[in-house]
Amino acid sequence: MRKVVIGQAGGPTAVINASLVGFLENVEDTNVYGAIKGFQGLVEDDLVHIKGDLLKRIKLYHSIPGACLGAGRYNMDEEAMGKAVDNLKCQGINTLVFIGGNGTMWALHQLSKRAQYIGYDLQVIGIPKTVDNDIVLTDHAPGFGSAARYVATSVRDISKDLESMSNFEQVRIIETMGRNVGWLAASSGYLKNSDYDGPHKIYLPEQILYSHTFLKDVKDIVKDVGFATIVVSEGVHLDEHAVVEKAIVNGRKVLGGIAEELANIVQKELGLIARNEQLGMNQRSNQFSVSLQDRKEAYEVGKQAAVYMQNDLFNIMVAINRSEANDYSFQLHSVTLDKVGEGGERHFDEMFIKNPKHYYQWLTPLVGADIEPFPTMITRRETNEKQFNRS
Amino acid sequence: MRKVVIGQAGGPTAVINASLVGFLENVEDTNVYGAIKGFQGLVEDDLVHIKGDLLKRIKLYHSIPGACLGAGRYNMDEEAMGKAVDNLKCQGINTLVFIGGNGTMWALHQLSKRAQYIGYDLQVIGIPKTVDNDIVLTDHAPGFGSAARYVATSVRDISKDLESMSNFEQVRIIETMGRNVGWLAASSGYLKNSDYDGPHKIYLPEQILYSHTFLKDVKDIVKDVGFATIVVSEGVHLDEHAVVEKAIVNGRKVLGGIAEELANIVQKELGLIARNEQLGMNQRSNQFSVSLQDRKEAYEVGKQAAVYMQNDLFNIMVAINRSEANDYSFQLHSVTLDKVGEGGERHFDEMFIKNPKHYYQWLTPLVGADIEPFPTMITRRETNEKQFNRS
């Protein structure tokens, strides 16, 4: 019987477990083992046989955030790669399936090459997951829709809160995830109803932000609107400086802090009260805001990996095609791991930067058409004309 | 015809507009004017006649977060109080109704005394709103249930995310609102399934936190569980120091920063990777996590204020009684503003500190029984016994 190892890697998403369950529910005549804590499980030979009670318990995790096998980050250097392949060979594993992002696809490609080099016939398949939407050769990847839904609704809600607090604080700088790509930050404008509503400006990592431009933006918005809701991606470069980092862990930069820096500049230079906040881990884990379409697609890419496994495809990642017709539909196909790995980070589309409306149309099926903008509020500007004294 | 001014004050909640609509839909033979930006509208005579199109538009805001008349904070010193009362008298206002928290009830009481002093017959009624649940003489107040629901679900979700990332980061310190009272922070444990699940520790402002205790807690939890999800209220005093402040605005301390301080201590003293995050403005504005019971009660206290107005009650706040029977029900009654104002902040109940289970039972109807703990995850500890090598 075929022996397969499946693992989850990188930062989790709110729907990553649906991909795992999609795979497990569609394999036949196969012994499936789970890699505990992603690549670490491969290197340390920490595998668990998924059957019986454990299989039942994993299925309970279909709609639960976090990676239920453990994911995380592990430094896959040459030595670690070697150990992982040796362990898999030693256990007689035929197939390696991993759910992950860009870095995972690159690592899978390396593992595949290494197995080939030592004459070990290992079938390798990648299942995409992301909150940043930075994977190339797929229209989008599961995890992003739910994260975008959280960002869009949170910024809408937080901006309404600020609007009613403008005599206490005038500016909020909201920081989103997204590393070096602006897909997630850009989604914050999805539920904007009018120029009056926030977010009033969105800064993407694809474009350098100059502090003089930023200060002018904020000043103009507060003058026109009375308050300013600003969204900034964690990966934005201010004045050609390096991105703001919190830490470096396992060789990986943890971004974060640009919103605080911008809020400090506003307070210092404009004398306005500015609060900053990071939308934080809820972006990739909040269960309330999961997009049902996203969860469905997460399940389907997992299921498709099982199909590809049984059809003996190898060195591929499952990818999503969007239909060109008016009604959204998607088809799955395979792309080679080397092309995904070599494609690098997928930046936010320039066409969408020029025309955000097209982006929001593109985004609708992924975040769900059930979320809506709020009507524009009763503003002081409007009420000025209706003041009691003059009525 | 009776002339009434209604306003919203302080920080908004996700359900504060339901109280406004509850009032507006239940007044009869009354001209209602809205105070723009809370007390500022009274002082600056910025009132708007709520009728026709504007009334219709406000009704659209029933389920929308933020205060749709504008709320915010305004320093009600002696001079401002005098101006407010003079303006109301000059406009021939019979009744003043405000939706607000502790500070608002205190200010209403002062305005009432001042009107009485100058022989101006002003009926004053308060409608409670809070996210902190710090108002005395009411079982709880609208706004808290939705905030507690957000905190409980977010901490559950973020802890699941951390659990799967424990080879990258081991500790998350999550900061909640609540100022000097622990109701909101304590609600973070509502969806904990077992000792293994987060939050593993909750620190309340009612108790001083000593850094040596804190460090021992974190060390023990990480040793036992592999990761630690820690919740801390923004009002916690560390080692008898003053609370950590972000700023002072309009004479009011903006709290925030204790989580960052604790995360730094963990990194420095224990060498573990610790991330901190503030749950932020979503706590009081996130629409996805609104508790339907909370919204219903917000509407009902507004409606009751209209009834009390028509029954000529004055200098009172609408308060909520909880029935003693097994099934939750609530009744509304009135309490005098002076007793609310003089009662100060309502601290978290000592009985609940001793017995969190009782607190969670008390909390269930307010946050909604539809949110549930997740099953405890497949942990490394459990899988150790089932390793592939040994199976």
Side-chain angles (χ1 to χ4, degrees):
Chain A
M1 212 169 3
R2 191 197 300 261
K3 281 183 168 181
V4 50
V5 166
I6 186 162
Q8 299 170 302
T13 73
V15 300
I16 188 173
N17 291 325
S19 292
L20 178 63
V21 174
F23 180 81
L24 293 174
E25 288 187 341
N26 291 281
V27 289
E28 288 164 15
D29 301 325
T30 305
N31 275 316
V32 184
Y33 303 90
I36 300 303
K37 298 193 180 182
F39 287 116
Q40 184 176 346
L42 296 190
V43 176
E44 298 179 359
D45 211 14
D46 193 2
L47 306 177
V48 56
H49 198 165
I50 301 177
K51 59 178 181 179
D53 269 0
L54 182 59
L55 178 58
K56 277 186 208 154
R57 285 172 58 207
I58 291 180
K59 286 182 184 175
L60 291 179
Y61 266 76
H62 171 274
S63 303
I64 293 178
C68 72
L69 290 175
R73 306 194 190 279
Y74 194 82
N75 194 6
M76 288 298 274
D77 56 17
E78 288 295 309
E79 195 191 337
M81 293 265 185
K83 271 193 192 164
V85 171
D86 288 349
N87 287 336
L88 291 167
K89 190 180 177 195
C90 188
Q91 304 285 5
I93 301 298
N94 310 102
T95 306
L96 176 66
V97 180
F98 251 69
I99 310 166
N102 255 332
T104 301
M105 298 308 149
W106 181 86
L108 287 180
H109 176 53
Q110 301 303 317
L111 290 171
S112 170
K113 279 206 295 191
R114 185 174 282 264
Q116 208 175 357
Y117 185 74
I118 61 167
Y120 161 34
D121 187 20
L122 180 67
Q123 179 189 29
V124 180
I125 296 175
I127 299 173
K129 74 88 211 169
T130 183
V131 290
D132 303 336
N133 204 36
D134 60 353
I135 305 176
V136 296
L137 300 179
T138 180
D139 180 75
H140 59 278
F144 170 67
S146 296
R149 186 175 161 97
Y150 184 79
V151 169
T153 52
S154 292
V155 172
R156 175 195 63 182
D157 297 352
I158 291 171
S159 189
K160 270 294 169 232
D161 181 281
L162 173 63
E163 188 173 347
S164 51
M165 288 295 281
S166 61
N167 59 2
F168 186 67
E169 53 183 297
Q170 293 77 49
V171 183
R172 279 192 194 150
I173 318 274
I174 302 171
E175 183 173 311
T176 71
M177 291 181 173
R179 296 192 68 80
N180 304 314
V181 304
W183 297 89
L184 207 49
S187 68
S188 66
Y190 179 68
L191 297 176
K192 188 176 162 77
N193 193 41
S194 73
D195 285 349
Y196 180 77
D197 298 302
H200 303 98
K201 273 282 169 187
I202 303 170
Y203 300 119
L204 308 178
E206 281 80 2
Q207 296 168 319
I208 290 174
L209 175 61
Y210 292 97
S211 36
H212 61 90
T213 316
F214 166 68
L215 285 168
K216 188 176 182 311
D217 285 349
V218 173
K219 207 172 160 182
D220 290 350
I221 295 161
V222 172
K223 194 180 157 203
D224 287 353
V225 179
F227 68 102
T229 305
I230 308 288
V231 171
V232 61
S233 168
E234 63 179 359
V236 161
H237 292 252
L238 184 66
D239 295 330
E240 302 178 17
H241 298 157
V243 287
V244 184
E245 289 168 28
K246 274 186 176 162
I248 295 185
V249 184
N250 296 3
R252 184 183 168 91
K253 282 183 193 172
V254 180
L255 304 185
I258 180 72
E260 187 175 356
E261 197 161 316
L262 293 178
N264 289 341
I265 293 176
V266 168
Q267 303 224 145
K268 196 178 155 201
E269 302 293 333
L270 303 181
L272 297 168
I273 302 295
R275 198 193 289 257
N276 71 86
E277 69 174 283
Q278 299 187 329
L279 290 183
M281 291 301 141
N282 262 321
Q283 290 170 94
R284 66 183 198 201
S285 60
N286 187 270
Q287 205 199 28
F288 276 130
S289 58
V290 162
S291 149
L292 297 184
Q293 180 67 26
D294 188 33
R295 189 185 281 156
K296 182 182 163 191
E297 294 183 4
Y299 183 91
E300 292 297 325
V301 293
K303 178 180 174 183
Q304 191 66 25
V307 172
Y308 287 154
M309 178 178 78
Q310 269 127 218
N311 293 347
D312 294 323
L313 272 67
F314 58 94
N315 293 349
I316 52 112
M317 180 188 86
V318 183
I320 300 176
N321 258 344
R322 174 190 292 250
S323 83
E324 298 292 332
N326 263 348
D327 274 357
Y328 173 81
S329 70
F330 69 98
Q331 296 81 38
L332 301 178
H333 67 293
S334 66
V335 294
T336 59
L337 279 175
D338 58 345
K339 284 191 180 150
V340 176
E342 287 156 13
E345 281 179 320
R346 176 195 185 193
H347 282 281
F348 189 56
D349 201 315
E350 281 210 16
M351 292 292 289
F352 288 155
I353 294 182
K354 282 181 197 145
N355 195 333
K357 211 169 155 185
H358 284 179
Y359 176 53
Y360 300 140
Q361 282 163 359
W362 180 91
L363 199 58
T364 300
L366 311 188
V367 296
D370 60 316
I371 50 173
E372 289 183 342
F374 294 146
T376 295
M377 196 125 88
I378 307 127
T379 70
R380 203 165 67 96
R381 286 192 308 171
E382 291 174 69
T383 53
N384 272 342
E385 292 137 54
K386 299 186 188 178
Q387 279 204 13
F388 181 41
N389 291 344
R390 292 169 231 151
S391 73
Chain B
M1 212 169 1
R2 191 197 299 261
K3 280 183 168 181
V4 50
V5 165
I6 185 160
Q8 299 171 302
T13 73
V15 300
I16 188 173
N17 291 325
S19 291
L20 177 64
V21 174
F23 181 81
L24 294 174
E25 287 186 343
N26 292 282
V27 289
E28 289 165 14
D29 302 325
T30 304
N31 275 317
V32 183
Y33 303 89
I36 299 302
K37 296 192 182 183
F39 287 117
Q40 185 178 344
L42 297 189
V43 176
E44 298 179 358
D45 210 14
D46 193 2
L47 305 177
V48 57
H49 198 163
I50 301 176
K51 61 178 179 177
D53 269 0
L54 182 58
L55 178 59
K56 276 186 208 154
R57 284 172 59 207
I58 291 180
K59 286 182 184 175
L60 290 180
Y61 266 76
H62 171 275
S63 303
I64 292 177
C68 72
L69 292 175
R73 308 194 189 278
Y74 194 81
N75 195 5
M76 288 299 273
D77 56 18
E78 289 296 309
E79 194 190 338
M81 292 265 185
K83 272 193 192 165
V85 172
D86 289 349
N87 287 337
L88 291 167
K89 191 180 177 195
C90 188
Q91 305 284 7
I93 301 298
N94 310 102
T95 306
L96 176 65
V97 180
F98 252 68
I99 309 165
N102 255 331
T104 301
M105 298 308 150
W106 180 86
L108 287 179
H109 177 53
Q110 301 304 316
L111 290 171
S112 171
K113 278 205 297 191
R114 185 174 281 263
Q116 208 176 359
Y117 184 74
I118 61 169
Y120 161 34
D121 188 18
L122 180 68
Q123 180 189 29
V124 180
I125 296 175
I127 299 173
K129 75 87 212 168
T130 183
V131 292
D132 302 337
N133 204 36
D134 60 353
I135 305 177
V136 296
L137 300 178
T138 181
D139 181 74
H140 59 279
F144 170 67
S146 296
R149 185 174 161 97
Y150 184 80
V151 168
T153 52
S154 292
V155 171
R156 174 195 62 181
D157 297 352
I158 291 171
S159 189
K160 270 294 169 233
D161 181 281
L162 173 63
E163 188 173 349
S164 50
M165 288 295 282
S166 61
N167 60 1
F168 186 68
E169 53 183 299
Q170 294 77 50
V171 183
R172 281 194 192 147
I173 318 272
I174 301 172
E175 184 173 312
T176 71
M177 290 181 174
R179 295 192 68 81
N180 305 313
V181 304
W183 298 89
L184 206 49
S187 69
S188 67
Y190 179 69
L191 297 176
K192 188 177 161 77
N193 192 41
S194 73
D195 285 349
Y196 180 76
D197 298 303
H200 303 99
K201 274 283 170 186
I202 303 171
Y203 300 119
L204 307 178
E206 281 80 2
Q207 297 168 317
I208 290 173
L209 176 61
Y210 292 97
S211 37
H212 60 91
T213 316
F214 165 69
L215 285 169
K216 187 177 182 311
D217 285 349
V218 172
K219 206 170 159 182
D220 289 351
I221 295 161
V222 173
K223 194 180 156 203
D224 286 353
V225 179
F227 68 102
T229 304
I230 307 288
V231 171
V232 61
S233 168
E234 63 179 0
V236 161
H237 292 252
L238 185 65
D239 294 330
E240 301 177 20
H241 297 157
V243 286
V244 183
E245 289 168 28
K246 273 187 178 162
I248 294 184
V249 184
N250 298 0
R252 183 183 169 91
K253 282 182 194 172
V254 180
L255 304 185
I258 180 72
E260 188 175 356
E261 197 162 316
L262 293 178
N264 289 341
I265 294 176
V266 168
Q267 302 223 146
K268 195 177 155 203
E269 301 294 331
L270 302 181
L272 297 169
I273 302 296
R275 199 192 288 255
N276 71 87
E277 70 174 283
Q278 299 186 330
L279 290 183
M281 291 301 142
N282 261 322
Q283 289 170 94
R284 67 184 198 201
S285 60
N286 187 270
Q287 204 199 28
F288 275 131
S289 58
V290 162
S291 148
L292 298 183
Q293 181 68 27
D294 188 33
R295 189 187 280 156
K296 182 183 164 191
E297 293 182 4
Y299 183 92
E300 292 297 324
V301 294
K303 178 181 173 182
Q304 191 65 26
V307 172
Y308 287 154
M309 178 179 78
Q310 270 127 220
N311 292 348
D312 293 325
L313 272 67
F314 58 93
N315 293 349
I316 51 110
M317 180 188 83
V318 184
I320 299 176
N321 258 343
R322 174 191 294 249
S323 85
E324 299 292 334
N326 262 347
D327 274 357
Y328 173 81
S329 70
F330 70 97
Q331 297 82 36
L332 302 179
H333 66 294
S334 67
V335 294
T336 60
L337 279 175
D338 58 345
K339 285 192 180 148
V340 177
E342 288 157 12
E345 280 178 322
R346 176 194 185 196
H347 281 281
F348 189 56
D349 201 314
E350 282 210 17
M351 293 291 290
F352 288 154
I353 294 182
K354 281 180 196 144
N355 195 334
K357 210 171 158 184
H358 284 180
Y359 176 53
Y360 300 140
Q361 283 163 356
W362 180 92
L363 199 58
T364 300
L366 311 187
V367 296
D370 60 316
I371 50 172
E372 289 182 342
F374 294 146
T376 295
M377 196 125 86
I378 307 128
T379 69
R380 203 163 66 97
R381 286 190 308 170
E382 292 174 68
T383 52
N384 273 341
E385 291 136 55
K386 299 187 188 177
Q387 280 202 11
F388 181 41
N389 291 344
R390 291 169 231 150
S391 73

